[in-house]
Amino acid sequence: LYTWFTVIIVVALLIIAYMKTGLVGSFLNHLFCFIFGEFYYLVVVYICIMAILFVINKRKKFLNGFTVASSVLLVLALLLFASYNQNHDLTGFDIINDIFANAIKYFNGELINKGGLIGAFMLSITTWLFGYKGTLIVLFVVILIAFMLLIPVGEYQQIGESVKSFLLLPFRIFQ
């Protein structure tokens, strides 16, 4: 019962934030824009869906840790990609310093940070460690891992056997 009330309150607050109703809705909307960037509405929908699925999952047991981890990785990859496409002038922790220096402008909507605070934080770490080209490789690896977590291991074995039989087909025909 406690989880139902929590989910209902969270979903209601997310809908209020998305619709920008009243002072609370406007504040939450600007907060989500600051944290999640221009894709905040996708994150709001994602949180609503995951909250509802979490409650439904207690009975049906179809949601597992791999599904949740892969969906979170895909959302983080989206935020990193959005931040990556913003500009290439700053690298490393200068990106985060710029976000905090202009926080009021970002929060008021005067400036738009495409990946939000989370995307900027991930971009600052990856550009500090790997540079901009290495960040693209990290982004590709994160997306690959997310999709690998979605597909069960048995499916990979079946795909491998299908590809192997397809590649060996010409040798069997000509023998």
Side-chain angles (χ1 to χ4, degrees), residues 89-159:
D89 297 337
L90 302 173
T91 59
F93 290 103
D94 293 336
I95 297 169
I96 287 293
N97 291 336
D98 181 58
I99 295 291
F100 286 127
N102 296 315
I104 301 295
K105 292 180 183 176
Y106 283 118
F107 195 81
N108 289 334
E110 296 171 25
L111 293 174
I112 296 175
N113 184 4
K114 295 186 180 205
L117 184 63
I118 295 174
F121 181 72
M122 289 186 304
L123 183 67
S124 68
I125 290 174
T126 55
T127 56
W128 178 60
L129 292 172
F130 308 110
Y132 274 98
K133 290 180 183 176
T135 298
L136 280 179
I137 295 170
V138 168
L139 184 62
F140 176 74
V141 167
V142 167
I143 292 171
L144 189 66
I145 290 171
F147 282 117
M148 288 178 70
L149 288 173
L150 280 175
I151 301 172
V153 176
E155 297 295 323
Y156 288 114
Q157 293 170 346
Q158 185 179 6
I159 291 170

Side-chain angles (χ1 to χ4, degrees), residues 22-102:
L23 183 65
V24 172
S26 179
F27 173 76
L28 289 174
N29 186 287
H30 287 298
L31 181 67
F32 285 143
C33 284
F34 179 69
I35 294 173
F36 301 115
E38 69 180 1
F39 295 110
Y40 77 94
Y41 56 92
L42 290 176
V43 175
V44 167
V45 169
Y46 169 76
I47 293 172
C48 286
I49 289 171
M50 291 307 285
I52 292 168
L53 287 178
F54 178 73
V55 170
I56 294 171
N57 188 47
K58 285 194 168 189
R59 292 185 187 160
K60 304 243 179 181
K61 301 291 182 198
F62 63 90
L63 192 64
N64 60 20
F66 292 122
T67 308
V68 174
S70 65
S71 61
V72 167
L73 283 176
L74 287 174
V75 169
L76 291 176
L78 174 71
L79 296 177
L80 178 60
F81 182 70
S83 288
Y84 180 85
N85 283 334
Q86 191 161 355
N87 66 8
H88 295 280
D89 297 337
L90 302 173
T91 59
F93 290 103
D94 293 336
I95 297 169
I96 287 293
N97 291 336
D98 181 58
I99 295 291
F100 286 127
N102 296 315

